[in-house]
Amino acid sequence: MHNTPALPPETTIAIVGAGRLGGVLARALRAAGFVVVGPLRRDDRVPDADIAVLCVPDSAIAAVAFAARPHTRLIAHVSGATPLTDVDFSLHPLQTFTGTESPDVFRGIGVAVDGRTPETLEVAEQLARALGANPFRVDDAHRAEYHAAASFASNFVLTVLDAAEHLAKDAGVDRAHLAPVVRRTADNWAVSGAASALTGPIARGDEETVARQRAASNDYRELFDALATATRAIVERAPRAAACPEEPGV
């Protein structure tokens, strides 16, 4: 963690919300040298503080911000989807959390930030950098697209992996055996994007194998069809080498 945050170390930050992110963020901000109160439950009274960071469900942001406003100079939320209507700035770590992570979990990750004014945007950027993260701006006009992208990159990936796990289990294959190909696929995508990284029967044009896979998908056939259609669209824009028929791949 940074030992000399851009914001003064005596800055007092109240973390409101004792869920997964609230606890991790409180630990990380303390490690970064700030005076941190909390994490508080959202029904707790917010003490006087320089900044209140609301780690609460999106539906609770307006009410909690209203209650906190008399006690703090600035209010932020950590929502990726909610506009700045009721707060001064936003700070959304582009990461998934279990709540048990150490403070260095923020190091090197991206954090979507925005502010109602240039000054509050700067505060958001300074907090992100103090955590060791890399801030990037997402304004209210693009918040829905950004958050949808985050869901595709995390939540929906887990939906697909859950289907893979259940189908593999029926074949007597453990989740641990799938994990290496998942990691390699993600690494390849990070380097060159989906069109270049794509392998498998759809990329090769092997429709007989695709048909056998579809028949074996059982309860996941509807999901298979949707994913196959989307994958064919990737093939259409893929470089020729990615669809080379003599490369079996997955």
Side-chain angles (χ1 to χ4, degrees):
M1 306 304 297
H2 293 186
N3 294 321
T4 55
L7 287 168
E10 65 271 16
T11 299
T12 302
I13 303 174
I15 303 296
V16 184
R20 295 180 182 184
L21 180 54
V24 177
L25 187 57
R27 291 194 295 273
L29 288 171
R30 284 193 184 96
F34 295 107
V35 178
V36 178
V37 180
L40 307 167
R41 297 183 185 87
R42 56 177 156 163
D43 294 330
D44 290 342
R45 179 189 175 279
V46 177
D48 292 341
D50 296 306
I51 300 171
V53 180
L54 310 186
C55 303
V56 300
D58 291 5
S59 61
I61 288 173
V64 177
F66 180 81
R69 183 61 72 183
H71 308 288
T72 185
R73 184 171 63 89
L74 296 174
I75 298 177
H77 67 50
V78 295
S79 169
T82 305
L84 301 184
T85 308
D86 301 291
V87 300
D88 301 296
F89 67 92
S90 62
L91 191 78
H92 180 259
L94 189 51
Q95 184 57 282
T96 181
F97 298 92
T98 65
T100 62
E101 292 85 0
S102 62
D104 63 3
V105 69
F106 294 96
R107 181 169 294 279
I109 71 168
V111 174
V113 298
D114 195 18
R116 293 172 69 95
T117 67
E119 292 74 21
T120 54
L121 175 60
E122 177 63 21
V123 171
E125 292 173 341
Q126 288 179 1
L127 281 175
R129 293 192 186 101
L131 292 168
N134 302 312
F136 57 90
R137 189 178 184 188
V138 177
D139 60 23
D140 280 359
H142 297 93
R143 204 171 280 272
E145 291 94 335
Y146 159 72
H147 203 243
S151 289
F152 271 94
S154 179
N155 310 146
F156 296 161
V157 167
L158 289 176
T159 301
V160 172
L161 292 179
D162 184 68
E165 180 180 357
H166 281 85
L167 290 169
K169 185 177 181 181
D170 291 342
V173 177
D174 293 335
R175 180 174 64 221
H177 295 303
L178 295 173
V181 71
V182 173
R183 296 189 186 101
R184 177 59 64 86
T185 300
D187 288 345
N188 291 345
W189 166 79
V191 170
S192 59
S196 294
L198 186 64
T199 63
I202 292 177
R204 297 191 300 270
D206 183 357
E207 292 302 327
E208 289 186 10
T209 298
V210 175
R212 286 196 295 272
Q213 289 180 335
R214 183 180 187 277
S217 295
N218 301 321
D219 293 341
Y220 298 98
R221 194 165 298 167
E222 185 175 347
L223 178 60
F224 182 95
D225 288 344
L227 293 172
T229 298
T231 302
R232 289 188 176 95
I234 295 173
V235 172
E236 290 179 0
R237 67 175 190 267
R240 298 299 270 169
C244 184
E246 55 268 20
E247 293 291 341
V250 174

